Amino acid sequence: MITMALFNNKGGVGKTTLAYHLAHMLQRMGHRVLAVDLDPQANLTAQFLDEDELTQLWEEPEVTASSAPKSIIDLDVRPVRIVPGTGTMATAIGPIMEGVGDVTLFDPVTIEDGLWLLPGDVELSVFEDRLSAAWPNSFLGKDIAALRTTTALHRVIDHGARSVGAEIVLIDVGPNLGAINRAALLSADTVLMPLTADLFSLRGLRNLGPTLREWRSTWQGMVLPKIPERISAPRGLMMPIGYIVMQPPTRTDRPAKAHDRWLDRIPEVFATSVLTSGNPGPHDRSFEIATLGHYANLIPLAHDARKPMFELRAGDGALGGTQSAVRRCYSDFRDLAVKVRERLAFIDPTLRRS
């Protein structure tokens, strides 16, 4: 099993849409994939689950299949996905927040065969202050409560992945460098960075690289050696495997050469700010995995159909020339998934396919 966080501390780069489609494509390539929503906005969860399921998951956890709305339990529409005992990342850390115990572990939601979700929750944001307070106390190694807090998200993810035999875990996180994201990224073996070619993404990279190195060094040097064996703890690798350029919608007030100017600067900033010494130089684009279009005309259709953009059909409203965009989208995400898998396979050779 290998974990990968999709992260950029600049928002609005299409990170969640990328995570959703990459999870689906990797599953269609034969991998067992677990998607984890650790962004308190819970947008990834909202892409996977419909409104009735979200209502049941967030507001009515006591609802059973026999009393659920017909739209949820009617097997002619879809199999039951929100079963009794299903939780969210917020309910998982509930006992820690209340001071009455350790994390509550639960099995992921089955999206379809080979694809699962650990759902997010807007209430996860309350964990920020608790994590911030636990971080310095973890350095001492004697505060078991602090160690259980800093490893809480990892242990929920690890249990969820093992319970379904996931090969690849994709972690979606919010666009900031706060305590929740620190705990989430420490749980990631690798980090994939979606970017847009603009000033804000470049400034985000300049902050991101040094922060990841500081978190890794502190965790591996000061905290990890002091964690008892009985507490499952992440390795804190956070290895950058590359970046993806997400193209913005076409704008007449933003000339193409302005986009290209920032695009040309990304390799240098990535090399000097994110990578460690001895890696490729500032003009080496080997860490640029792909450039993805915006697919603006497909997004609303996919949202209404509740399926990936690359699986839209005529019955979903993808008519005429839109089908060409669907085929191009499929080709783009297939190529992307293959390239991402190749990079992950350097760390976990079991991912290689003949």
Side-chain angles (χ1 to χ4, degrees):
M1 177 185 73
I2 190 166
T3 55
M4 181 177 75
L6 290 89
F7 180 57
N8 187 332
N9 59 328
K10 172 191 179 296
V13 298
K15 169 183 55 63
T16 298
T17 298
L18 174 62
Y20 175 81
H21 285 80
L22 189 55
H24 276 282
M25 183 57 76
L26 287 168
Q27 181 267 345
R28 281 144 181 78
M29 291 167 58
H31 295 286
R32 299 174 67 83
V33 181
L34 173 65
V36 182
D37 191 353
L38 287 181
D39 184 346
Q41 295 185 55
N43 289 327
L44 182 63
T45 300
Q47 288 201 33
F48 275 112
L49 304 177
D50 64 28
E51 186 172 335
D52 287 337
E53 292 168 323
L54 293 174
T55 298
Q56 187 180 7
L57 181 67
W58 290 342
E59 299 180 4
E60 299 176 350
E62 76 282 358
V63 172
T64 63
S66 61
S67 62
K70 184 175 178 59
S71 61
I72 295 178
I73 67 169
D74 188 346
L75 297 183
D76 292 333
V77 178
R78 64 158 59 90
V80 177
R81 301 199 292 193
I82 309 301
V83 299
T86 298
T88 70
M89 298 304 296
T91 57
I93 53 92
I96 292 179
M97 293 300 302
E98 296 170 7
V100 296
D102 201 358
V103 290
T104 298
L105 301 176
F106 59 91
D107 292 343
V109 177
T110 300
I111 303 301
E112 53 187 276
D113 187 26
L115 179 60
W116 296 267
L117 170 72
L118 283 177
D121 194 322
V122 294
E123 294 183 357
L124 181 62
S125 60
V126 302
F127 201 33
E128 190 84 36
D129 289 343
R130 184 63 60 91
L131 283 169
S132 295
W135 181 247
N137 293 336
S138 299
F139 302 166
L140 304 176
K142 298 179 181 180
D143 190 335
I144 299 301
L147 294 176
R148 289 192 179 278
T149 298
T150 55
T151 61
L153 298 181
H154 159 76
R155 288 183 288 124
V156 176
I157 295 170
D158 187 64
H159 171 82
R162 293 182 186 280
S163 71
V164 298
E167 297 175 276
I168 301 173
V169 178
L170 302 182
I171 306 173
D172 187 34
V173 297
N176 62 73
L177 295 173
I180 289 178
N181 279 2
R182 178 176 58 210
L185 287 163
L186 286 170
S187 301
D189 300 316
T190 61
V191 181
L192 176 64
M193 302 175 186
L195 308 171
T196 52
D198 56 32
L199 173 63
F200 300 100
S201 276
L202 291 181
R203 290 188 66 82
L205 281 180
R206 294 186 193 280
N207 291 330
L208 179 56
T211 301
L212 291 182
R213 289 194 292 275
E214 178 186 353
W215 288 349
R216 183 189 303 114
S217 175
T218 301
W219 181 257
Q220 295 180 346
M222 299 180 63
V223 182
L224 189 57
K226 301 174 183 177
I227 298 179
E229 291 185 4
R230 67 180 183 274
I231 300 177
S232 175
R235 294 177 294 175
L237 299 180
M238 296 181 287
M239 181 184 301
I241 65 167
Y243 61 89
I244 297 172
V245 178
M246 311 291 286
Q247 292 183 339
T250 302
R251 288 172 44 180
T252 57
D253 63 336
R254 190 167 185 262
K257 63 181 181 181
H259 175 273
D260 293 342
R261 175 165 62 99
W262 297 116
L263 183 65
D264 291 340
R265 294 188 60 184
I266 291 176
E268 177 184 3
V269 175
F270 190 86
T272 57
S273 298
V274 177
L275 302 179
T276 57
S277 60
N279 280 288
H283 303 295
D284 190 311
R285 291 183 177 268
S286 60
F287 279 81
E288 183 177 312
I289 298 177
T291 296
L292 293 180
H294 188 262
Y295 313 113
N297 58 328
L298 301 183
I299 291 176
L301 295 177
H303 180 270
D304 291 341
R306 308 209 62 80
K307 62 172 59 173
M309 295 182 289
F310 50 70
E311 290 190 348
L312 290 170
R313 301 291 182 262
D316 302 316
L319 304 172
T322 305
Q323 275 300 316
S324 297
V326 171
R327 290 190 293 271
R328 185 172 64 253
C329 181
Y330 178 89
S331 178
D332 289 347
F333 274 97
R334 173 76 185 191
D335 291 345
L336 170 62
V338 169
K339 292 176 180 177
V340 168
R341 182 179 65 185
E342 289 175 351
R343 294 176 186 241
L344 295 180
F346 280 109
I347 304 169
D348 184 356
T350 64
L351 294 177
R352 291 195 172 96
R353 293 289 192 265
S354 57

